[in-house]
């Protein structure tokens, strides 16, 4: 089978993201249908592409791949940061390291805790986050993040200082510090890892401020997102 014939059947994984870019650049659903080689009236299928309910083929997306894939690749690059410990003059200090992951974010799941406010009011606020990225080389990266940390540094007069920082910023990723990261080559490994995290992180203290439902629902949400990627774990019963 020639490469051209293969592209008539091979689905384009980033259909939804590419259609979104086309819309942002002024294309209507009717325009997209025409460029995809469909009838101008086939806007219902374009809507399914746009909502992530169906994937177009590479042939159908050929025009938009040429026009916007370079922008899509740029949007698929994600910057994060972490702390690295190092020793200096017998003291443990920190420095910030930045790292980039290219790929599709398939999960961002916050873990919240209950915080006491004034006048007896309470509020659930995120303090921990799980991010899972399917990278461009088909690996999965699991990032474990917190929005607060202790930063140790040496002042000019050689005094050791530890600063407690609570991160908050409109730029979402800048408000989360990666505390650990893991790399998996198979989606089943990701599911096993998150299942273990969910169970082992559940607090046994009934008075714990951690919102337990955020941990309990995590494995379900991950499986739901894996299904959207075309992965059906063995742990899911398929009813005929």
């Amino acid at each position: 089978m020639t490469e051209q014939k293969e592209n008539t059947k091979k689905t384009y994984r980033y259909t939804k993201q590419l259609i979104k870019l086309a819309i942002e650049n002024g294309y209507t659903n009717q325009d997209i249908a025409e460029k995809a080689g469909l009838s101008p009236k086939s806007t219902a299928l374009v809507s399914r592409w746009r909502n992530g309910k169906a994937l177009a083929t590479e042939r159908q997306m050929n025009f938009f791949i040429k026009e916007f894939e370079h922008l899509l690749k740029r949007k698929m690059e994600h910057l994060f940061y972490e702390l690295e410990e190092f020793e200096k003059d017998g003291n443990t200090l920190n420095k910030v390291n930045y790292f980039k992951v290219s790929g599709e974010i398939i999960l961002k799941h916050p873990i919240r805790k209950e915080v006491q406010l004034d006048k007896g009011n309470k509020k659930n606020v995120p303090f921990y986050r799980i991010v899972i990225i399917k990278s461009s080389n088909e690996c999965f990266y699991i990032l474990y993040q917190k929005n607060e940390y202790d930063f140790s540094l040496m002042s000019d007069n050689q005094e050791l200082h530890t600063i407690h920082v609570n991160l908050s910023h409109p730029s979402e990723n800048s408000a989360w510090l990666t505390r650990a990261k893991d790399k998996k080559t198979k989606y089943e490994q990701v599911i096993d890892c998150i299942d273990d995290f969910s169970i082992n992180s559940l607090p046994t203290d009934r008075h714990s401020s951690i919102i337990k439902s955020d941990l309990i629902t995590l494995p379900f949400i991950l499986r739901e997102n894996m299904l959207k990627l075309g992965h059906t774990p063995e742990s899911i019963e398929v009813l005929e």
Side-chain angles (χ1 to χ4, degrees), residues 20 68 240:
K20 183 179 178 181
F68 301 121
E240 301 293 344

Side-chain angles (χ1 to χ4, degrees), residues 226-239:
M226 285 295 186
L227 282 175
K228 294 177 182 177
L229 290 177
H231 302 307
T232 304
E234 291 182 0
S235 56
I236 296 179
E237 178 186 1
V238 180
L239 303 181

Side-chain angles (χ1 to χ4, degrees), residues 15-139:
T15 298
K16 178 180 177 180
Q17 293 88 340
L18 199 61
I19 293 298
K20 183 179 178 181
L21 274 173
I23 296 292
E24 290 174 354
N25 282 272
Y27 287 87
T28 65
N29 282 15
Q30 184 175 341
D31 295 332
I32 293 170
E34 291 178 353
K35 294 295 185 183
L38 305 175
S39 163
K41 296 182 180 179
S42 300
T43 55
L45 178 56
V46 175
S47 294
R48 285 173 56 79
W49 292 344
R50 186 176 178 178
N51 295 326
K53 295 181 179 179
L55 294 177
T57 65
E58 289 190 358
R59 179 189 63 79
Q60 291 168 326
M61 289 291 96
N62 185 56
F63 173 83
F64 298 105
I65 288 173
K66 292 179 179 178
E67 287 288 311
F68 301 121
E69 194 170 48
H70 67 289
L71 297 177
L72 180 60
K73 288 180 179 178
R74 200 175 304 159
K75 283 200 168 189
M76 301 285 278
E77 293 181 339
H78 312 284
L79 182 66
F80 303 99
Y81 61 126
E82 61 187 346
L83 286 187
E84 178 186 345
E85 292 186 348
F86 67 96
E87 297 293 326
K88 182 178 180 181
D89 300 328
N91 296 304
T92 301
L93 305 179
N94 300 112
K95 68 175 182 177
V96 175
N97 287 336
Y98 301 91
F99 63 95
K100 181 184 76 172
V101 183
S102 297
E104 179 182 7
I105 293 179
I106 63 173
L107 180 74
K108 279 185 181 179
H109 189 82
I111 310 297
R112 298 167 297 165
K113 62 181 178 181
E114 189 177 71
V115 175
Q116 190 76 38
L117 303 178
D118 295 336
K119 299 179 180 179
N121 296 322
K122 297 179 180 179
K123 182 179 180 181
N124 295 338
V125 297
F127 76 102
Y128 202 89
R129 187 172 79 159
I130 303 292
V131 177
I132 301 177
I133 302 170
K134 186 173 185 180
S135 70
S136 53
N137 62 0
E138 297 300 309
C139 292

Side-chain angles (χ1 to χ4, degrees), residues 84-233:
E84 178 186 345
E85 292 186 348
F86 67 96
E87 297 293 326
K88 182 178 180 181
D89 300 328
N91 296 304
T92 301
L93 305 179
N94 300 112
K95 68 175 182 177
V96 175
N97 287 336
Y98 301 91
F99 63 95
K100 181 184 76 172
V101 183
S102 297
E104 179 182 7
I105 293 179
I106 63 173
L107 180 74
K108 279 185 181 179
H109 189 82
I111 310 297
R112 298 167 297 165
K113 62 181 178 181
E114 189 177 71
V115 175
Q116 190 76 38
L117 303 178
D118 295 336
K119 299 179 180 179
N121 296 322
K122 297 179 180 179
K123 182 179 180 181
N124 295 338
V125 297
F127 76 102
Y128 202 89
R129 187 172 79 159
I130 303 292
V131 177
I132 301 177
I133 302 170
K134 186 173 185 180
S135 70
S136 53
N137 62 0
E138 297 300 309
C139 292
F140 294 88
Y141 288 93
I142 307 172
L143 308 183
Y144 302 89
Q145 301 179 325
K146 293 193 74 174
N147 58 10
E148 59 181 56
Y149 64 96
D150 292 324
F151 188 87
S152 297
L153 72 163
M154 195 76 70
S155 64
D156 292 339
N157 58 2
Q158 301 302 302
E159 291 184 0
L160 180 66
H161 295 278
T162 299
I163 303 172
H164 184 76
V165 180
N166 287 292
L167 295 170
S168 177
H169 195 274
S171 174
E172 183 184 13
N173 285 338
S174 70
W176 293 95
L177 182 84
T178 300
R179 305 308 301 265
K181 55 182 184 289
D182 200 0
K183 179 181 179 181
K184 303 296 182 184
T185 57
K186 298 180 180 179
Y187 80 88
E188 295 94 342
Q189 296 172 335
V190 178
I191 290 174
D192 289 342
C193 186
I194 293 302
D195 284 354
D196 289 342
F197 173 83
S198 173
I199 294 298
N200 294 330
S201 299
L202 275 174
T204 56
D205 180 5
R206 60 179 297 190
H207 300 295
S208 171
S209 62
I210 296 175
I211 307 302
K212 299 179 181 65
S213 63
D214 289 342
L215 289 165
I216 293 171
T217 57
L218 176 57
F220 175 89
I221 295 171
L222 175 60
R223 284 167 170 79
E224 189 175 46
N225 290 354
M226 285 295 186
L227 282 175
K228 294 177 182 177
L229 290 177
H231 302 307
T232 304

